[in-house]
Amino acid sequence: MITGKFPNLRLRRSRKNDWSRRLIEENNLTPNDFILPIFLIDGKNKKQAISSMPGVYRYTLDRLSPFVEKAIKNKIPMVALFPYTKLKNKDELGTEALNEDNLVCKAIRLLKKRYKNQIGIMCDVALDPYTSHGHDGLLKYNHVLNDETIQMLINQSLIQAQMGCDVLAPSDMMDGRIGEIRKSLDKNGFKMTQILSYAVKYASSFYGPFRDAVGSKKLLRGDKKNYQMDFRNSDEALREVALDIKEGADMIMVKPGLPYLDIIKSVKEKFKIPVIAYQVSGEYSLLENSINKKLVNKDIILESLISFKRAGANAIVSYYADRIVNIIK
Ligand code: PBG
């Protein structure tokens, strides 16, 4: 509803001064709005640059603490762990996902022991960091098997929950996995482990740099279109969300972020549940490289991040989360 009429009404009046603009601001960001993704790598004393993601690094476990402590100090509520898996630890079935001593499991144990509940730990539930073909599930004749994959995901979830993971985030896009994972968690004493479902995950070219970061890019056979969503669709996103809520999801992820603000908004409006946006690797790289090349100035970071809040996101997974205090200052 628009009230008032020019010249009585002049919206520029309230824009004239900085104090006034601050007074009427509708959206803002605080560190509470961020989830910090962390890439892990085997070995000792390494903080390894990722060439496709300037400013983002892979950490060995012995170098993890200062990075996490800074996040705790800055009041970031949660980190998300992603492993770079050695080629020799990958196979067709992604068996390494079920190894209690894989990188992610070791990292959860270490962080939980050291920081207890000072910061939440979220882990992906999916097989892609562990499979030799780069897919999120078990592959047969270039098709990812649904129900057979779910069995693996249930076990991966239970192991990660056992290690102390607070939030399991199935990012695999199999049908029916949220319900099955919830059931197994409850049966095995993990009633309070949260599920953040990547309910709306599009088959996207914006994931390129991430696949580089976890070492699955060169391996990926074909594409993920037989399980991740078609970017032409939006009604289908609402169906995905409705199903996952029924199956027990506590929070919903929409991914990628910036090209899908319409989806964030309609999921929030329809379902009134916590919605998390993922500003994915390709979005990060586009922003960061353009800033480094001086095509645009660094204010585009804040502008992009605020758009997620305007659309209705409760929080944002962002590779900028470690620098957010400076960005919002
Ligand atoms: C894997 C997974 C992906 C991302 C998060 N979890 C990539 C994919 O599905 O290929 C992408 C994150 C990013 O691009 O930043 N299940």
Side-chain angles (χ1 to χ4, degrees):
M1 200 205 1
I2 297 171
T3 53
K5 200 167 132 210
F6 179 81
N8 296 347
L9 179 67
R10 290 177 186 268
L11 290 180
R12 288 185 57 191
R13 246 181 243 135
S14 351
R15 284 181 211 142
K16 189 174 160 214
N17 290 309
D18 178 63
W19 61 261
S20 175
R21 292 192 291 269
R22 281 187 280 126
L23 192 67
I24 63 162
E25 74 185 10
E26 297 175 35
N27 291 285
N28 221 332
L29 291 167
T30 78
N32 289 333
D33 296 316
F34 288 90
I35 297 170
L36 171 65
I38 304 181
F39 294 112
L40 307 166
I41 188 161
D42 272 311
K44 285 215 164 62
N45 197 23
K46 270 191 266 183
K47 179 182 169 185
Q48 191 178 74
I50 300 165
S51 58
S52 53
M53 300 178 75
V56 179
Y57 301 84
R58 302 184 191 97
Y59 294 85
T60 52
L61 296 181
D62 57 351
R63 294 284 293 267
L64 206 51
S65 289
F67 194 54
V68 173
E69 276 163 28
K70 189 177 155 212
I72 293 173
K73 193 173 138 259
N74 288 338
K75 291 276 181 220
I76 299 291
M78 183 156 79
V79 293
L81 304 177
F82 296 104
Y84 177 96
T85 309
K86 280 193 266 211
L87 200 55
K88 76 170 185 37
N89 290 342
K90 299 192 185 202
D91 60 23
E92 281 282 314
L93 305 177
T95 341
E96 177 71 2
L98 308 184
N99 173 7
E100 287 192 9
D101 277 316
N102 70 24
L103 250 183
V104 166
C105 289
K106 281 196 280 203
I108 305 172
R109 290 200 298 262
L110 180 125
L111 296 178
K112 269 297 150 195
K113 189 164 159 222
R114 229 171 256 174
Y115 306 112
K116 309 276 185 309
N117 277 329
Q118 292 183 69
I119 193 157
I121 298 179
M122 157 183 159
C123 295
D124 247 38
V125 179
L127 302 181
D128 59 299
Y130 309 109
T131 52
S132 48
H133 42 71
H135 282 287
D136 294 30
L138 305 176
L139 199 61
K140 196 167 181 186
Y141 309 123
N142 287 325
H143 184 80
V144 169
L145 299 173
N146 196 83
D147 303 15
E148 294 80 352
T149 296
I150 291 181
Q151 289 313 310
M152 292 282 289
L153 299 179
I154 288 174
N155 292 327
Q156 184 185 23
S157 301
L158 287 174
I159 289 169
Q160 293 185 153
Q162 240 158 42
M163 297 298 132
C165 175
D166 301 291
V167 177
L168 292 165
S171 70
D172 55 287
M173 288 298 278
M174 298 305 110
D175 282 325
R177 88 282 202 212
I178 299 299
E180 296 295 318
I181 291 171
R182 184 70 271 164
K183 207 164 66 189
S184 307
L185 287 173
D186 289 357
K187 210 165 64 194
N188 288 280
F190 301 108
K191 287 199 177 70
M192 298 306 280
T193 304
Q194 288 167 259
I195 296 180
L196 164 50
S197 173
Y198 287 78
V200 189
K201 180 170 179 181
Y202 286 91
S204 170
S205 295
F206 283 90
Y207 306 149
F210 174 94
R211 292 178 189 163
D212 199 19
V214 299
S216 69
K217 191 170 196 164
K218 291 199 196 86
L219 301 175
L220 183 62
R221 242 182 268 158
D223 57 46
K224 300 192 176 184
K225 290 181 182 168
N226 68 72
Y227 48 107
Q228 298 179 348
M229 270 187 58
D230 185 335
F231 53 72
R232 292 165 187 83
N233 299 349
S234 55
D235 286 346
E236 191 185 351
L238 300 179
R239 299 180 80 191
E240 285 284 3
V241 173
L243 285 169
D244 285 4
I245 294 173
K246 269 203 196 119
E247 291 175 30
D250 301 287
M251 299 172 271
I252 293 296
M253 182 89 81
V254 175
K255 176 176 176 199
L258 207 56
Y260 298 90
L261 293 178
D262 57 322
I263 307 294
I264 296 171
K265 189 167 166 110
S266 52
V267 168
K268 188 65 180 181
E269 279 176 354
K270 294 248 162 35
F271 297 103
K272 314 288 181 199
I273 57 158
V275 177
I276 316 292
Y278 200 137
Q279 183 189 47
V280 300
S281 56
E283 299 174 55
Y284 173 85
S285 293
L286 287 176
L287 298 183
E288 198 56 16
N289 280 303
S290 318
I291 294 165
N292 291 344
K293 291 211 168 83
K294 303 207 183 326
L295 298 172
V296 282
N297 75 47
K298 64 179 181 10
D299 294 345
I300 60 167
I301 302 171
L302 185 65
E303 187 177 337
S304 312
L305 292 171
I306 288 270
S307 74
F308 294 116
K309 295 294 287 188
R310 222 172 46 233
N314 294 79
I316 308 153
V317 185
S318 170
Y319 300 98
Y320 284 114
D322 60 323
R323 287 153 273 170
I324 199 61
V325 178
N326 293 326
I327 293 168
I328 59 190
K329 196 160 63 191

